[in-house]
Each structure stands twice: as C-alpha cells, then as structure tokens.
Amino acid sequence: MAKGKTNAMRMLDAQKVDYELITYDNQDGKIDGVSVAAKIGKDPEAVYKTLVAQGHSKQIYVFIIPVAEELDLKKAAKAAGEKKVEMIPVKDIQKLTGYIRGGCSPVGMKKQYPSFVDAKAAELDLIIVSGGKIGMQMKLKAEELQKAIGAELADLIK
C-alpha cells in the first residue's frame, strides 16, 4: 500500500477537515469507480468520481459525481455557465491536476478549478472520493468536501 500523505490529505489536514482514509488493493488493475466501491464494500451511490472537463471558454472545471453515473455534458455546461463543456483527454489530466487517472482527487489539485458536486451528495452524510493515489479513498462529510474545495451543488448526471 502507498504510504505517506497525498496533496489531498495535506489540504484537508490544513483545513482541519476530518476524513477517514480507506485503502484497497489495485493489483488486479480494476480501478474504475464501481470496482473500487465493491472492493471497499461501499454503496456506489456514496462513492464519487472526479471528472475534469474544459468549457467553451477554455476554463477547466471539475465535476464530482457518483461512480456508477454518467456526466451529462449539457447539465455540466449549464452549471458552469458555459455554452458547452467537453471531457479533457486522459493524457492531460496529470499536467492539469497533478493527479493520474484513477487517483484524481477533487481536493489538492495543482490549481483550484471551479468545482461542482452532483446534487445527490446533499442527501448523503458521508461521501467517498479519491485520496489522490490509486488505492486510496477518503471518506468525509459531503458538505465539508464542498467547503474544502469551494464546490457548488448542481444537477450533473444523466
């Protein structure tokens, strides 16, 4: 297991946000959100993935949605106040966020991009997001995640 703190954890620590670190074995290469939820024994409704997109204006946005759901690009564009948004290519994720695909946390990116959490998160007490490394997830209060990254709630899924 990867030891040491990730940027995501350091940022939450600095903001005195309580979170529980959950680790999982990723030797089998199954790092998609639904597989991760199964590995950590959590309902996929409570496990959120971090998606990075670019607006028509070239602004980068972060969308945090349940792992089993699909981002509705029209709804995402509306939330961001853009004509349209498109997912960024996987190869660009690291240079924009500092994280790799499968280990992209919404917390502690290189830059703080405008972020949106799917409105369903408001119904959850706790939300699980990437800890910033493949094999690490963080469980924390949904509203504390929102506060930590300055995210807005929005209807984002198909």
Side-chain angles (χ1 to χ4, degrees):
M1 278 299 147
K3 291 271 184 282
K5 299 253 178 188
T6 63
N7 282 348
M9 293 171 216
R10 283 192 283 273
M11 188 175 150
L12 291 179
D13 290 345
Q15 293 188 28
K16 310 253 185 292
V17 173
D18 280 336
Y19 62 91
E20 177 191 335
L21 183 63
I22 303 170
T23 56
Y24 64 92
D25 182 1
N26 59 314
Q27 302 286 306
D28 61 7
K30 289 184 179 161
I31 59 169
D32 64 281
V34 176
S35 296
V36 170
K39 287 180 185 187
I40 62 175
K42 301 292 181 197
D43 183 337
E45 295 281 307
V47 183
Y48 277 55
K49 59 187 170 186
T50 303
L51 303 173
V52 184
Q54 186 170 35
H56 186 70
S57 67
K58 300 292 181 235
Q59 170 67 50
I60 300 298
Y61 296 96
V62 177
F63 298 100
I64 302 138
I65 67 170
V67 294
E69 301 290 350
E70 206 183 322
L71 181 66
D72 183 318
L73 292 172
K74 282 194 168 71
K75 288 179 178 179
K78 187 177 172 211
E82 290 275 358
K83 268 197 282 228
K84 68 180 207 196
V85 297
E86 289 173 359
M87 300 303 296
I88 61 161
V90 169
K91 64 176 177 45
D92 295 341
I93 290 174
Q94 190 165 12
K95 79 171 187 233
L96 289 167
T97 66
Y99 294 125
I100 60 167
R101 180 187 169 273
C104 188
S105 179
V107 183
M109 289 186 179
K110 281 184 176 174
K111 268 179 72 187
Q112 185 62 64
Y113 298 111
S115 301
F116 300 87
V117 178
D118 185 67
K120 280 188 169 174
E123 300 160 23
L124 298 174
D125 220 17
L126 296 166
I127 186 171
I128 298 166
V129 295
S130 171
K133 261 196 188 111
I134 293 174
M136 294 180 155
Q137 297 280 302
M138 300 182 305
K139 181 163 88 174
L140 67 162
K141 288 191 170 123
E143 71 266 18
E144 292 200 343
L145 170 68
Q146 267 180 269
K147 252 195 287 199
I149 61 172
E152 290 176 40
L153 282 180
D155 176 18
L156 299 172
I157 55 184
K158 288 191 171 167

